[in-house]
Amino acid sequence: MLSILVLTILTLSFATPFVAVHAAIGTPTVDDYTDVVVDTVLTITGDAGNVTSGATIEVYWDIASGSSAVLLNTTTGLADGSYEVEITVPETPSGDHYVWVTDTGTGSTASSAAIAIVPELVVDPDSGLAGDTVTLTGTGFDDEAGFNVSIFNMTGVNVDISVDIVVDNEEETDDVGSFEVDITIPASVSDYDDYFINVTDGTNNNITIAFEIGASIVITPDSGPEGAVVTIEGRGFEDVILNETDITFNLWDGVQIVGDTIEIEDGEFEGEVIVPSFGIGDWNFTVDDGTNSPTEDFEIDGESVVEVDPTYGSPGATVTVSGYNFTQN
């Protein structure tokens, strides 16, 4: 009888469920609250005891439930009830927005403090000549709002090109405050100078980005190993003959030209050059005609290497020497 009683007590003790104690979910901490642009990566954290250990933690943008809820990421509550997760700011209109964290273990939800989203403008390419067409991409503006575009030089003399792009704000941002529009640089912007392109959406959003009117170059491809042959195309230059000293790599020494020289005619040229041995990393090419000196980025992704096999031997022995990423010419 005693044995049966002990066994019964032990069985009941194992069958008794473990009851977890949950603290109320706290306000999520965001590592950046001000002047945040679309596609910024933010880190969201919660202190110990904020969520259920082992439970799935969901992170939403602006609202945490319903068909319009945007799930940004999930993580798992750590042993002490804390958590850390990264999110990427989605396309969203300017203004204050919030991150909502849901503890699926308890169903409780809490929001962060307001995150201030501001506009961002990208122009591609960021240099050119009068008559060129460039693409403007904007995010973080007002949603479904008309906008104007203008271009002006550093002295502040405005050259209004809004009539070439939009008429009376008929061009609008979409429902998340984004837009993409092609614009033509007007003939009135013909002097080589540093300019700015400005976009306003009719409210408080007013953003400016640099744009250079002048000679430009294009590198094809824009990455490769040491010794690679790349093509440089240029436009807007003086009509001169380019020698090796006129093309530099990372503003250091001259670059070997395939054919020794490159001739510029009617401001344009195309020629091939050799990527020097500068080591893996981000560098740049510069072409200087005596008046203009535009620069374009280039990435070296492979170094010149020599291998010897075998690495030892007696006089008269034969060894094999192999080389990689030497001049491809």
Side-chain angles (χ1 to χ4, degrees), residues 17-60:
F18 171 78
V19 179
V21 178
H22 306 288
I25 188 169
T27 300
T29 300
V30 183
D31 62 348
D32 192 356
Y33 282 104
T34 61
D35 296 339
V36 178
V37 298
V38 170
D39 288 335
T40 298
V41 176
L42 301 177
T43 300
I44 316 299
T45 57
D47 295 333
N50 274 190
V51 296
T52 304
S53 173
T56 299
I57 309 303
E58 300 173 337
V59 185
Y60 293 88

Side-chain angles (χ1 to χ4, degrees), residues 57-169:
I57 309 303
E58 300 173 337
V59 185
Y60 293 88
W61 187 253
D62 280 339
I63 57 176
S65 61
S67 59
S68 298
V70 178
L71 179 64
L72 300 178
N73 204 354
T74 62
T75 189
T76 301
L78 300 178
D80 63 353
S82 65
Y83 65 90
E84 179 175 325
V85 61
E86 288 186 342
I87 60 104
T88 300
V89 175
E91 288 191 82
T92 193
S94 60
D96 289 342
H97 295 266
Y98 302 84
V99 166
W100 286 82
V101 175
T102 297
D103 179 354
T104 62
T106 62
S108 58
T109 300
S111 71
S112 68
I115 302 170
I117 302 299
V118 296
E120 183 178 36
L121 185 64
V122 175
V123 57
D124 184 32
D126 60 5
S127 64
L129 303 173
D132 285 356
T133 297
V134 300
T135 300
L136 286 177
T137 304
T139 56
F141 286 80
D142 281 353
D143 58 310
E144 300 178 341
F147 59 90
N148 282 312
V149 182
S150 61
I151 184 169
F152 56 92
N153 60 22
M154 294 187 67
T155 61
V157 178
N158 284 279
V159 180
D160 189 6
I161 58 174
S162 60
V163 294
D164 295 325
I165 308 161
V166 295
V167 178
D168 296 330
N169 288 331

